Amino acid sequence: MTREFGVGIIGCGNISGAYFKLIPLYRNLKLVACADINPAASKARSEEFGVPAQEIAALLANPAVDVVVNLTVPEAHFPVSKQALEAGKHVYSEKPFVLTLEQGEELRRIADARGLKVGSAPDTYLGGAHQFARHLIDSGRVGKIMSGTAHVLGPGMESWHPNPDFFFAPGGGPILDMGPYYVNNLVNLVGPVKRVVALANKAREERTIGNGPRAGEKVPVIVATNIHAVLEFESGAQISLMTSWDVWAHRHQNMELYGTDGAIFVPDPNFFGGTVEVAGMDREPKAVEVWDHPLTAKNYTFDWGTQANYRGVGLSDMMEAVATGRDYRCSLERSLHTIDVLTAILRSAEEGRAIDIVTTCTQPAALGIAEARALLRDDVAAPAVEAAAE
Ligand SMILES: NC(=O)c1ccc[n+]([C@@H]2O[C@H](COP(=O)([O-])OP(=O)(O)OC[C@H]3O[C@@H](n4cnc5c(N)ncnc54)[C@H](O)[C@@H]3O)[C@@H](O)[C@H]2O)c1
């Protein structure tokens, strides 16, 4: 491992707690500052985690900050990332990376001109379970993947998130909010996408906030909340993806991929761990003993259970690439390809036609056991993160 890079977080809301807790797991990362447009939010995180809070402009001028982690709401991702690049900082953004291809291309131009790197979550596909699925597919266990299904279905986010407005505004909706986990993992497992076709609707015009100080307040639903898409991959595979926040109950698997010699059942791409099942020509799905990958260990307690959570591994991998010049997995190319696929799905539903994907990318390199372990600090070999329920 090379050197330690200073990390400045901009956006100290709900998900920032996970980043404050998990960034310290990585050998090459050190939290040095945080900021928010709402100073009360950064002050609260600063007091909770002992990381100095600054005004946004001061954080961007702070020489100890090498990389800005952009955890603002989707519509602020582009302007905040752009500002950070213009201040000479590398950028790693939460998803969705940007809302249009033009925004992504503009970030690319600024970053290239300044020799900076830009990356984006989700990095959950680097988790041990998904890397194990990748390993099984790469080793030919189920033959060539030719079709499959993926489902991310639920009633929506307004019951738990205290400020759920952005989920139902442009940049939100289940395809842009949850789709990145699925498309990133499909690119990891199957490769880039060539063409999409989709239909979409919404079940309700408004949602009622169920948690926090605004409980009972209504939020308008501007975007589609129920989207059926079919993705055609450059490999020839055709995989259907259904994302919906209009579903109270269902019995679909998160992800099933069908190969010429079998089928593989992939756990929830929103998480790092889980059980991988495989069936051969015997047609009997069986759990496969997951390897001893460090990004599989359950280390993080949510209020509903304990899960493997290694958010920040994509950032650590990107900063290792800054140090060594190698490719990084959550790269601008791949992040922009995901946005291309997701926005094309929405456009296909609006226009009633198939849409060709104009970007492409290479499949990210698999993240094996040794390389994943090298990103983590030594004392994380048996992970034990003190994670308050959230
Ligand atoms: N909450 C989750 O569980 C979760 C999980 C994964 C990813 N994400 C993604 O992370 C991002 C943030 O989600 P969240 O749930 O933390 O939202 P949030 O609304 O709780 O927090 C966002 C924070 O960003 C700040 N902010 C907004 N605009 C800003 C700007 N221009 N400059 C500086 N700060 C600004 C807000 O004041 C707020 O504190 C979203 O893109 C979301 O999709 C959230």
Side-chain angles (χ1 to χ4, degrees), residues 72-101:
T72 63
V73 291
E75 67 180 9
H77 286 174
F78 169 68
V80 169
S81 293
K82 183 174 174 204
Q83 223 185 333
L85 289 171
E86 285 171 345
K89 310 299 186 190
H90 303 286
V91 170
Y92 184 84
S93 175
E94 247 305 336
K95 52 78 192 167
F97 168 45
V98 286
L99 300 184
T100 65
L101 289 186

Side-chain angles (χ1 to χ4, degrees), residues 60 131 365:
L60 293 176
Q131 290 300 314

Side-chain angles (χ1 to χ4, degrees), residues 1 18-19 22-29 69 92 94 120-128 131 271-272 293-296 308-321 326 328-330 367-369 371-376:
M1 191 62 46
Y19 280 87
L22 296 170
I23 280 174
L25 301 187
Y26 298 97
R27 210 186 287 267
N28 62 347
L29 304 179
V69 174
Y92 184 84
E94 247 305 336
S120 175
D123 53 4
T124 43
Y125 78 88
L126 300 176
Q131 290 300 314
F271 294 101
F272 289 78
H293 195 287
L295 306 187
T296 311
N309 189 355
Y310 296 92
R311 265 174 214 277
V313 63
L315 168 66
S316 176
D317 177 61
M318 181 177 98
M319 297 316 289
E320 201 50 21
R326 67 156 167 77
Y328 56 108
R329 293 166 173 89
C330 297
L367 181 65
I369 292 172
E371 206 183 343
R373 206 178 292 286
L375 294 174
L376 294 165

